Amino acid sequence: MELRFAGVGSAFTTKEYWQSNMIVSHDGKNLLIDCGGDIRFSLAELNMSYKDIDAVYISHLHADHIGGLEWLGFCTYFDPKVLQRPKMYIAEKLVDDLWETLKAGMQLSTGKTTLHDFFDVNPIKPNESFNFGNADFFPVEMIHMMSGNKIINSYGLANNQTFITTDIQFCPNQIQSFYEKAEIIFHDCETSLRHSGVHAHYD
């Protein structure tokens, strides 16, 4: 199994870095972890396209993590050579809000349109996992930010060897057990002079 970075940037992305999305590959199949708005460019830089994406995992609903789903969904929907919709793995509680975010731009003229027209949606219940390749992946619910009185969560991914935090605040005590189990940790962090408070800072 191989993990490649399709960008290491933020919402304030540049051509040199693209947005922070990743690709897990196994036996010729590719799982895209998040799908930011510039994913078509970062895939091209890896000599890949929408045709190479078999599945996508969505950690949370910010544009640098879902802004490319319209492109991915339309490309695979309207390309007659694509015979299967990409699988989508997403926390169950995010599914309805994701479609509310996307539907203004993705309505079809064929009648009522849903997220399922574009993706093979696989909602993940709390404490459940999904399988890709030869590994089970467990979404890990963590705090990304507060919006008024509402907690905005991001769902990292853990398996027996690796822990990918996705976008989270600095909260080592909450996820210490995942740190201890993982052989390799890919941790979200920001490096800006002004601390945003919604990501762990490199300091």
XYZ file of all heavy atoms in Angstrom, residues 170 187-192 195 199-203:
112
model
N -4.906 21.546 18.165
C -3.888 20.851 18.948
C -4.552 20.246 20.175
O -4.979 20.964 21.084
C -2.785 21.828 19.355
C -1.653 21.179 20.101
C -0.928 20.150 19.528
C -1.320 21.599 21.382
C 0.122 19.540 20.212
C -0.273 21.004 22.077
C 0.448 19.975 21.487
N 0.406 14.584 10.571
C -0.331 15.517 11.424
C -0.542 16.856 10.717
O 0.404 17.474 10.246
C 0.431 15.738 12.731
C -0.440 16.178 13.862
N -1.191 17.341 13.839
C -0.696 15.583 15.058
C -1.853 17.445 14.970
N -1.584 16.394 15.722
N -1.788 17.282 10.668
C -2.127 18.613 10.174
C -1.440 19.668 11.020
O -1.444 19.585 12.246
C -3.648 18.789 10.247
C -4.080 20.234 10.140
O -3.744 20.871 9.130
O -4.745 20.716 11.072
N -0.826 20.667 10.383
C -0.314 21.803 11.138
C -0.242 23.027 10.233
O -0.189 22.918 9.008
C 1.048 21.519 11.751
S 2.380 21.355 10.575
N -0.265 24.177 10.846
C -0.104 25.434 10.118
C 1.237 26.054 10.511
O 1.793 25.736 11.566
C -1.254 26.394 10.423
C -1.374 26.771 11.876
C -2.577 27.662 12.160
O -3.599 27.536 11.455
O -2.485 28.476 13.091
N 1.723 26.921 9.646
C 3.039 27.519 9.883
C 2.989 29.044 9.839
O 4.027 29.684 9.919
C 4.040 27.031 8.823
O 3.549 27.387 7.514
C 4.222 25.525 8.900
N 1.792 29.610 9.721
C 1.669 31.055 9.569
C 2.074 31.788 10.841
O 2.030 31.236 11.948
C 0.219 31.424 9.201
O -0.659 30.985 10.214
N -1.548 32.714 14.417
C -2.162 31.431 14.753
C -3.675 31.528 14.564
O -4.324 32.411 15.114
C -1.854 31.059 16.202
C -0.409 30.750 16.440
N 0.002 29.802 17.349
C 0.724 31.253 15.893
C 1.323 29.742 17.358
N 1.783 30.619 16.488
N -6.137 24.935 13.695
C -5.197 23.878 13.356
C -4.130 23.824 14.453
O -3.892 24.806 15.152
C -4.478 24.162 12.023
C -5.381 24.281 10.860
N -5.744 23.195 10.076
C -6.009 25.352 10.308
C -6.554 23.600 9.120
N -6.734 24.896 9.235
N -3.500 22.664 14.583
C -2.292 22.614 15.393
C -1.240 23.465 14.701
O -1.109 23.429 13.479
C -1.809 21.179 15.521
N -0.504 24.264 15.453
C 0.559 25.079 14.858
C 1.892 24.350 14.971
O 2.125 23.600 15.919
C 0.646 26.452 15.538
C 1.416 27.450 14.745
N 2.791 27.500 14.754
C 1.004 28.424 13.878
C 3.199 28.457 13.940
N 2.134 29.034 13.401
N 2.761 24.577 14.003
C 4.040 23.882 13.980
C 4.867 24.160 15.244
O 5.680 23.343 15.653
C 4.834 24.298 12.741
C 6.072 23.471 12.515
C 5.974 22.160 12.073
C 7.343 24.008 12.743
C 7.103 21.385 11.875
C 8.481 23.235 12.550
C 8.352 21.933 12.104
O 9.482 21.181 11.902
N 4.635 25.287 15.879
C 5.336 25.601 17.142
C 5.136 24.515 18.192
O 5.954 24.355 19.077
C 4.839 26.931 17.721
C 5.334 28.134 16.904
O 6.209 27.942 16.039
O 4.809 29.242 17.128
